[in-house]
Amino acid sequence: MSDTADGADPTDPQVACFEAGIKFGSLYHQFAGTPVSPASAPSLAAAMEEAIENQPHCESVTVDVREDALAEAVAEGPAEYTELTGRFFEAEIHIACEGVEVVAGMAMADGYPLMEVRSVRKRA
């Protein structure tokens, strides 16, 4: 790693958290706007999980579709599908990097899909 502006290398937990952020950015922005219906939601969630799990340091990804919100949006719209946004799913990503485990998640908070680091711990 190269030195930062203050002369210190990033810590292992900082590197692991950065990796979690990269995975979440990819998860959200790669799939946002994808056409989704109640029938296709499970296969889309599986595709999201499998795609992100391909990335380095990613141990697991869980995507849970908020079926009630999705069904409501489709019922209110002019078509039998809508486009995927953060209000239709919650996600959790587990990262293992540089001897550190990071769990990051995304859930709705005050109408906004909030991504956060949930835990950081050294691996035994």
Side-chain angles (χ1 to χ4, degrees):
M1 305 239 167
S2 61
D3 289 339
T4 59
D6 66 0
D9 287 340
T11 66
D12 290 343
Q14 288 170 331
V15 171
C17 287
F18 173 80
E19 288 294 335
I22 292 296
K23 294 352 171 221
F24 250 115
S26 179
L27 177 107
Y28 192 89
H29 294 291
Q30 179 176 345
F31 292 97
T34 300
V36 63
S37 69
S40 69
S43 63
L44 179 57
M48 293 168 73
E49 292 169 350
E50 292 175 14
I52 303 307
E53 285 174 352
N54 284 321
Q55 295 186 34
H57 311 295
C58 191
E59 298 233 316
S60 67
V61 177
T62 303
V63 175
D64 292 315
V65 176
R66 298 184 63 233
E67 295 176 14
D68 55 339
L70 180 59
E72 183 179 314
V74 170
E76 292 174 355
E80 294 182 20
Y81 71 94
T82 189
E83 64 182 49
L84 185 69
T85 67
R87 72 183 182 123
F88 299 125
F89 71 97
E90 294 181 353
E92 187 168 274
I93 296 176
H94 292 247
I95 302 296
C97 179
E98 304 294 334
V100 176
E101 292 180 3
V102 172
V103 176
M106 184 188 84
M108 292 300 289
D110 297 324
Y112 183 80
L114 182 64
M115 298 171 203
E116 64 184 359
V117 173
R118 294 184 174 161
S119 68
V120 179
R121 68 180 185 91
K122 293 273 188 184
R123 288 187 110 168

